[in-house]
């Protein structure tokens, strides 16, 4: 981003880098939020095979940062392993569907299958 050289905005560097990535046409379905020092960004790769999630939180005395790159599962079993993992972490079906790049209904069906297999209660 040539026009920002030398300029020191009050915007975190990760926001500027994300904007540059968007400007290069590498992402779609972009959601970005910056509020009170908290930054959250979600986007899909242009080909739809990956999801990027970046979160940074500032609480007095604590800085928390997480980055996640989620790729489409290669198989049904791989997807169900992910659903099981996120379910055990206590995530909602909606959040699991976002992280597995599937619909909430698919997650619900996977959870039913996993219950029937005795892998979850």
């Amino acid at each position: 981003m040539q026009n920002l050289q030398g300029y020191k905005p009050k915007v975190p560097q990760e926001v500027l880098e994300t904007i540059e990535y968007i400007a290069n046409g590498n992402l779609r379905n972009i959601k970005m939020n910056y509020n009170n020092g908290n930054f959250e960004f979600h986007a899909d790769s242009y080909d739809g095979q990956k999801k990027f999630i970046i979160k940074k939180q500032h609480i007095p005395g604590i800085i928390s940062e997480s980055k996640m790159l989620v790729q489409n599962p290669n198989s049904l079993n791989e997807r169900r392993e992910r659903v099981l993992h996120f379910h055990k972490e206590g995530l909602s079906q909606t959040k699991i569907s976002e992280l597995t790049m599937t619909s909430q209904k698919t997650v619900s069906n996977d959870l039913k299958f996993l219950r029937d297999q005795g892998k979850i209660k």
Side-chain angles (χ1 to χ4, degrees):
M1 295 176 56
Q2 302 291 333
N3 59 348
L4 292 179
Q5 288 183 342
Y7 177 64
K8 301 254 185 205
K10 293 183 179 182
V11 178
Q13 184 62 33
E14 62 266 18
V15 174
L16 296 176
E17 290 170 2
T18 301
I19 291 169
E20 187 169 349
Y21 204 72
I22 294 166
N24 291 335
N26 297 323
L27 301 176
R28 63 186 180 98
N29 299 329
I30 299 160
K31 298 176 190 170
M32 187 166 36
N33 184 30
Y34 184 77
N35 188 11
N36 295 326
N38 297 319
F39 171 71
E40 189 165 335
F41 172 81
H42 296 252
D44 296 335
S45 63
Y46 189 76
D47 62 6
Q49 296 299 306
K50 299 175 186 171
K51 180 177 284 294
F52 302 88
I53 303 169
I54 302 169
K55 294 182 182 182
K56 191 167 189 176
Q57 297 179 310
H58 291 256
I59 302 168
I62 300 171
I63 297 175
S64 172
E65 184 175 336
S66 66
K67 296 178 183 179
M68 187 181 301
L69 170 62
V70 180
Q71 296 182 352
N72 267 340
N74 292 320
S75 67
L76 178 62
N77 287 336
E78 186 177 313
R79 186 187 73 222
R80 287 180 173 158
E81 286 176 23
R82 292 179 188 183
V83 169
L84 178 61
H85 170 79
F86 291 129
H87 175 75
K88 287 182 176 180
E89 285 189 356
L91 299 181
S92 69
Q93 288 186 17
T94 302
K95 187 66 176 173
I96 294 170
S97 70
E98 180 181 312
L99 294 172
T100 57
M101 302 177 74
T102 59
S103 70
Q104 182 272 327
K105 179 64 176 163
T106 298
V107 171
S108 178
N109 289 338
D110 285 347
L111 290 171
K112 181 182 181 320
F113 175 84
L114 293 166
R115 279 188 198 93
D116 292 346
Q117 296 295 310
K119 294 185 178 182
I120 58 175
K121 295 180 182 180

